[in-house]
Amino acid sequence: MHVFDKNRKNADMKKHSIFIIAIMLLFTACNTQSKKVEYHKFIKTGEAQGSYYQITYFDSLNRDFGEQIDSLLIAFDKSCSNYQPTSIISKVNHNEEVALDDLFIGNFKMAQQISKETQGDFDITVRPLVELWGFGLKHSDSVSDAEVDSIMHFIGYQKVRLENGRIVKDDPRMMIDYNAIAQGYSVDVMANFLRSKGLKYFLVDIGGELYANETKVGGAPWKVGIERPKDGEKYGENLSAILSLRNKGLATSGNYRKYYIKDGVKYAHTIDPHTGYPVQHTLLSATVVAPTAGLADGYATAFMVMGVNKAKLILKHHPELQAFLIYSDENGKFKAYVSPGLNDMLEENSIQ
């Protein structure tokens, strides 16, 4: 009887303790819910890399990172801009001694990786050809086959490499061009900066290359539009599709804005590294979604070089990539190829 009473007393005490703990947990939960986190929305805009930038983020600490954002973009231009004569890439192209920074090296390594995966359809050594065809700092009145042939001797991603912190070229006339990857890579640099500050909800847009981190506060998705590839239309004037983007990078490459017409011939700004000539096929624009904006940027350019059929093969072997490819059929009508994994992100599609 004594043992029974002792056990009953212990049981009553245990129930009493559990009841107190339950009440405390309930109070804590109610108190937590009453202290709802307030987020402040920031939208930072400006000019960078010959284009615009718009960075949207939500911060519970109400911090303004405008100065740091501008400083990062300036540092990026000083490293990777072909249009700045004192940048690291300009000095490399002129065979000057210069210390390479992490931004330059990061771009180089990613570019070479994409070049290998695309059998050279993406190639950062096309700079002399870009200049020859009038899409760089100079403008050419005419281009001869002999000029193209002479330059092709020192075109090829395999002919340039990184050794002991230096760029080594097989031919000193070789020049590097990061324009097809740098904007996307700079988006990733900015996204990493925002994450380092503890930010969770943000969208980085630099010249149309994007990275969407999580969602907007409240769970609404980041929505981005894909332009219809039509000559003469303003940016954002006509959309082919709208995507929901989350924890992905996105980039679009197309030939419908950057081109010139001479003697009735339209010359696109995308240069085929294998031939030395502007591409001529039915693919009008390539939008790529990838784990990073840098990868999306590089592969979008590669797809514009290789065309629709080879792009489909690359997508088949790279499930981490998704794409929305707009091309013209034999009647000149717009058609779209949507990779299977992109369907879940597709909100609207006006091209079938």
Side-chain angles (χ1 to χ4, degrees):
M1 187 68 178
H2 176 69
V3 173
F4 177 79
D5 284 342
K6 183 178 180 180
N7 289 340
R8 182 176 180 179
K9 182 179 180 181
N10 289 341
D12 289 343
M13 289 178 66
K14 186 175 182 180
K15 289 179 181 179
H16 183 66
S17 299
I18 292 172
F19 177 74
I20 292 174
I21 291 171
I23 291 294
M24 290 177 66
L25 288 173
L26 179 62
F27 175 78
T28 301
C30 293
N31 193 44
T32 300
Q33 291 177 4
S34 66
K35 292 181 180 179
K36 187 176 180 179
V37 177
E38 181 181 357
Y39 284 91
H40 302 268
K41 183 178 181 179
F42 290 85
I43 301 178
K44 300 300 175 187
T45 61
E47 296 181 358
Q49 301 174 32
S51 187
Y52 72 92
Y53 76 81
Q54 179 169 302
I55 298 171
T56 305
Y57 65 88
F58 297 87
D59 185 23
S60 61
L61 301 179
N62 197 23
R63 294 169 294 178
D64 186 341
F65 295 114
E67 289 187 9
Q68 294 98 316
I69 288 171
D70 286 334
S71 295
L72 276 173
L73 292 171
I74 290 171
F76 197 90
D77 277 352
K78 288 181 178 179
S79 175
C80 302
S81 173
N82 287 97
Y83 297 94
Q84 286 201 11
T86 59
S87 67
I88 291 175
I89 195 169
S90 292
K91 290 182 177 180
V92 167
N93 285 342
H94 290 94
N95 301 309
E96 300 177 25
E97 284 295 328
V98 60
L100 308 182
D101 63 5
D102 290 340
L103 295 173
F104 182 95
I105 293 172
N107 271 278
F108 186 85
K109 289 182 175 180
M110 180 174 286
Q112 295 295 79
Q113 172 195 338
I114 297 173
S115 293
K116 292 176 183 176
E117 294 291 337
T118 61
Q119 294 81 47
D121 287 325
F122 182 85
D123 195 322
I124 56 173
T125 69
V126 295
R127 185 71 191 178
L129 291 169
V130 171
E131 297 284 357
L132 177 67
W133 284 100
F135 295 109
L137 299 174
K138 303 175 183 178
H139 296 278
S140 300
D141 293 328
S142 61
V143 177
S144 68
D145 292 344
E147 288 176 301
V148 174
D149 290 342
S150 65
I151 289 176
M152 287 299 293
H153 289 295
F154 51 93
I155 299 297
Y157 75 95
Q158 310 97 324
K159 300 175 183 179
V160 62
R161 55 202 170 274
L162 182 66
E163 292 182 359
N164 300 318
R166 295 176 64 251
I167 292 296
V168 178
K169 308 174 185 178
D170 285 357
D171 190 307
R173 294 173 295 176
M174 296 185 72
M175 301 175 73
I176 294 173
D177 190 339
Y178 283 160
N179 282 346
I181 196 171
Q183 259 182 358
Y185 195 91
S186 68
V187 168
D188 297 329
V189 169
M190 192 60 62
N192 288 335
F193 165 74
L194 296 175
R195 286 193 203 94
S196 74
K197 298 301 180 181
L199 298 180
K200 183 178 180 181
Y201 309 105
F202 60 79
L203 176 70
V204 179
D205 177 356
I206 301 179
E209 323 300 13
L210 309 169
Y211 188 87
N213 203 72
E214 291 297 335
T215 62
K216 298 177 183 178
V217 169
W222 297 106
K223 294 187 179 183
V224 299
I226 300 173
E227 286 186 315
R228 181 180 293 270
K230 188 176 179 181
D231 297 345
E233 290 190 346
K234 297 178 181 178
Y235 287 100
E237 189 174 47
N238 238 321
L239 298 180
S240 298
I242 297 176
L243 300 178
S244 290
L245 205 63
R246 179 175 183 175
N247 296 327
K248 297 287 185 181
L250 177 147
T252 297
S253 183
N255 287 324
Y256 55 98
R257 292 196 183 280
K258 296 180 181 179
Y259 64 89
Y260 67 85
I261 299 174
K262 182 175 176 59
D263 299 328
V265 179
K266 181 177 178 179
Y267 293 94
H269 83 288
T270 302
I271 307 297
D272 187 337
H274 304 293
T275 67
Y277 289 83
V279 297
Q280 292 185 345
H281 50 57
T282 60
L283 183 58
L284 301 172
S285 78
T287 296
V288 176
V289 176
T292 68
L295 286 172
D297 202 1
Y299 274 101
T301 300
F303 288 173
M304 288 306 303
V305 171
M306 65 181 70
V308 177
N309 291 332
K310 188 175 177 182
K312 289 180 180 180
L313 292 176
I314 294 289
L315 290 166
K316 184 178 180 180
H317 291 95
H318 286 271
E320 75 279 11
L321 304 176
Q322 303 299 330
F324 189 94
L325 308 177
I326 303 176
Y327 61 97
S328 58
D329 64 12
E330 61 275 10
N331 298 316
K333 185 179 179 181
F334 287 157
K335 294 288 185 179
Y337 170 77
V338 181
S339 62
L342 200 71
N343 284 312
D344 293 339
M345 307 178 207
L346 204 57
E347 298 270 335
E348 295 180 22
N349 179 12
S350 63
I351 301 178
Q352 302 302 323

